[in-house]
Amino acid sequence: MSIFLPKNASKAAIRAAQQARRNRAEIVRELSWGRVSRRELIKMGLFTSAGMLAPIGGLNPFVASAKAQVLAHPTGAPPSPLFGCQKFTTPMPRFDVMQRNPISCLSPAPVAQVNEEDRIPVDPALGGGTGPREGRPPGPVWAHQKFAEFFPQVAVEMTQGGATTNYVYNPGVSSLMNSRIDASHGLPLCFHPELPVQNKNSVWTFNGTIPPKLVVARYGEPLLFRHHNGLPADVTQNNGFGRHTISTHEHNGHHGAENDGFTGAFFFPGQFYDYHWPVVLAGHNTVNTLAADPRASSPTDGGGLNYVKGDWRETMSTHWFHDHMFSFTAQNVYKGNAAMFNIYSGLDRGAEDIVEDVVMPDGTRGAVNLRLPSGSAARSGKGWGNLDYDVNLMLADKAFDEDGQLFFDIFNFDGFIGDVMTVNLTANPYFEVEKRKYRFRILNASVSRFFKVALCNASGQTQLITWIANDGNLLPQPVFVGALDEQGIAERYDIIIDFSNYQIGDKLHLVNLLEHWDPENQELNGKKPIRTLTMAEAVSGTSPDPCVGRFLEFRVMRPASYPDESVIPTQMIPNPDLSQIPISRERTFVFGRDAQQPGTSINTAFFGPWGIKTDGGSGLAADYGRVSAAPVFGTREVWHLVNDGGGWDHPIHIHFEEGQVLERNGSAANVPPWERGRKDVYRLRPSGSITITMQFRDWGGMFMEHCHNTMHEDNAMLLRWEIQGGGDAFLRALPTPVPTPQGVQFEDPYDLPTAR
Ligand SMILES: [Cu+2]
């Protein structure tokens, strides 16, 4: 389905497209309010069971407009208005670093199991009466696992809310390191100073503000994230898209299911949900249980190491967290429910000048810190988490309506593609740098767009990039590339750029080489990236895809403020050796179209054009009451992820523990060097397949596997899997939560015959 007319479209075509967009927005709005279900739209003939808008005219039940027939022939959305804003005219704000408080600051105090007695009045718009203050499902099976063992030591509290001005922006660095942005000056919520300020209900972010938020944590210091839902109780107050119920997923946190942002464990306006992020190394039950290996460690404030249990080769670094609300994830993440989470460790401590002298397991003495670009502990007095030269970048394509308010169209079931490129929610910004090494943590936070990022100098020549981490994981060795690989939705690529090779006054650019423009149908297409451009083509500015080409400008401003003591290590984190762990089972998941929905629960089952075939079964649409796979606690399995070959791509995310890629398209030789570390998102590529291996240990409960093209995920390419075992309350089929504002109900889950 097309979106975005070419720049040279006729005025009549644009008017028709605007009318079509208004009509489509009406239906989106009714859907997002729950006043009409997709099932009802099918009955009305507006929707086909394949999830597409029916090719029938004049059937819009919401708008009494003679022009409603254009609804049936969408001619594409008009281009986003830019209000004259030019590229590279505004600074890129660095992330807003969230305050870390003592647990004693939280009121009420966090508890392992929800206090069902603690009830609050429920807004009449949500049915009135009273409901639990905490929206987490109640009872022992939803209590925080190992809460006493990993009792939280740090509290972070945020409220999901409507757009407002940020008067408490903390970039975590001096203004000089933040392109001289005056953080004390209020930041209104707009995507560029020339673009309109967003209405309260156009954008819903953490604390209702931009820049996007950064939470910092370290191993050995469990964190409690109390997430308040401050969204409107009235479901219709959403400016046309976004759902006011949320469930927050810390993307690949290694923790219990009750803290995983399970898609059915959502909570309502007025409630909070306590997410317990223990921040532990995988294997902490079975590997290095005496905490004797200095490489399994966490930085202390004073520059030392705090040894922790678990496998040091499972150390993770760059995470993000975002909404996972069943069938509304795309809208909610797009609307602003996305933040980043830097995890620090002895290896990746965020202090480039610390060289420890510790005894290694083989008896030799040495240092643990990999000394990646970050900043100087000697200067800052901070033994970890220095951000001077460690920069989070959140890439996302957006679109705007004719008033410049954020626009979304759920009818692009192939994928939603925006036409304005943003970094840290700012349209095509610049960033001032010094002549030295920087680390950038690049997150693809789009709904459906893939990127392929490269670096060019002022004359458009490709510059080398040092690639150090894929998803949350430092690679075994750095990889030196002229361009990164395609980066699917939710993938994180950490890179190092050395600006000491350039002159003061030089300008360099991050460039997107990957086009979503489909020349055959003359439209931007969300099914997959269509074509990789050469650097010369990409920087020429001639691509019909407005998000291709230069999108972030680096301005080399000055010498390094202090000596660069960072290192590009030759060795980082080798893969855990699983060769001695038997493979207890193999499973095959095929991702494709034309799914069936045998589920009967109106609460947990959904449908759409997308689905997953498990172990030879038929293609099934998402039902979070259905258990599709139930690996046994403490085992290792091999999973085959297969694209059914319909000419689309899927970035598949498997929650819970890092996987190792064994094969691509049937061969280990096809696995590129940058995929030879651990991962949590696996791009299948059109007609491709990927084989991974994963362990199921330390924690239990219900987890998910889904496409991270969130339009595919929502419609309905998602399944539930669950860690089974004996004895422990968490290790058996868990009751499926069905939240209501007045309290969480439960339904019995059901298994696929092949699940166990
Ligand atoms: Cu997909």
Side-chain angles (χ1 to χ4, degrees), residues 85 127-128 134 146 167 188 249 307 341 357 412 451 455 478 485 559 580 710 727 743:
C85 101
E134 180 173 3
K146 303 180 186 177
Y167 292 106
H249 172 51
Y307 293 12
F341 186 48
D357 177 25
N412 288 287
F451 297 105
L455 177 70
D485 199 351
Q580 300 308 306
T710 43

Side-chain angles (χ1 to χ4, degrees), residues 649-651 707 709 712 717:
D649 200 354
H650 305 293
C707 182
N709 177 335
H712 298 185
M717 192 179 262

Side-chain angles (χ1 to χ4, degrees), residues 321-448:
F321 54 98
H322 59 80
D323 183 56
H324 221 302
M325 173 68 203
F326 190 58
S327 81
F328 289 95
T329 295
Q331 299 176 43
N332 284 353
V333 174
Y334 179 80
K335 207 172 173 88
N337 192 319
M340 288 186 81
F341 186 48
N342 290 0
I343 305 173
Y344 293 94
S345 57
L347 301 168
D348 187 4
R349 68 180 299 147
E352 66 194 31
D353 54 339
I354 291 181
V355 185
E356 309 92 348
D357 177 25
V358 291
V359 180
M360 295 299 183
D362 64 1
T364 61
R365 301 192 73 92
V368 167
N369 186 11
L370 292 169
R371 304 179 64 188
L372 297 167
S374 48
S376 160
R379 287 182 59 95
S380 69
K382 287 168 56 182
W384 63 286
N386 289 281
L387 292 169
D388 281 353
Y389 306 105
D390 177 356
V391 184
N392 292 75
L393 302 180
M394 188 171 96
L395 314 188
D397 53 337
K398 301 288 181 189
F400 301 100
D401 67 16
E402 59 261 47
D403 301 319
Q405 297 295 308
L406 195 64
F407 168 75
F408 188 80
D409 184 349
I410 65 159
F411 291 115
N412 288 287
F413 293 103
D414 287 344
F416 176 83
I417 297 290
D419 64 344
V420 177
M421 183 66 183
T422 68
V423 186
N424 297 358
L425 298 178
T426 301
N428 297 298
Y430 66 81
F431 182 60
E432 297 182 354
V433 297
E434 300 181 347
K435 275 171 61 76
R436 56 151 290 153
K437 294 193 284 302
Y438 280 72
R439 172 190 191 160
F440 295 98
R441 306 179 191 237
I442 306 172
L443 162 69
N444 180 350
S446 295
V447 172
S448 306

Side-chain angles (χ1 to χ4, degrees), residues 311 313-314 573-579 660 678 695 697:
D311 189 343
R313 295 163 300 184
E314 297 284 2
I573 303 183
N575 272 346
D577 177 9
L578 306 186
S579 60
Q660 293 182 33
R678 297 152 294 138
Q695 297 184 80
R697 49 184 175 171

Side-chain angles (χ1 to χ4, degrees), residues 45-112:
L46 278 168
F47 241 28
T48 68
S49 57
M52 307 301 288
L53 273 175
I56 310 166
L59 271 178
N60 185 339
F62 310 109
V63 181
S65 160
K67 290 202 176 117
Q69 71 274 7
V70 295
L71 168 72
H73 303 288
T75 50
S80 297
L82 291 176
F83 299 88
C85 101
Q86 300 290 312
K87 280 189 175 183
F88 316 129
T89 54
T90 195
M92 178 191 83
R94 302 197 47 180
F95 272 57
D96 192 1
V97 184
M98 289 296 95
Q99 179 128 21
R100 293 155 42 90
N101 294 316
I103 290 294
S104 58
C105 290
L106 292 174
S107 175
V111 286

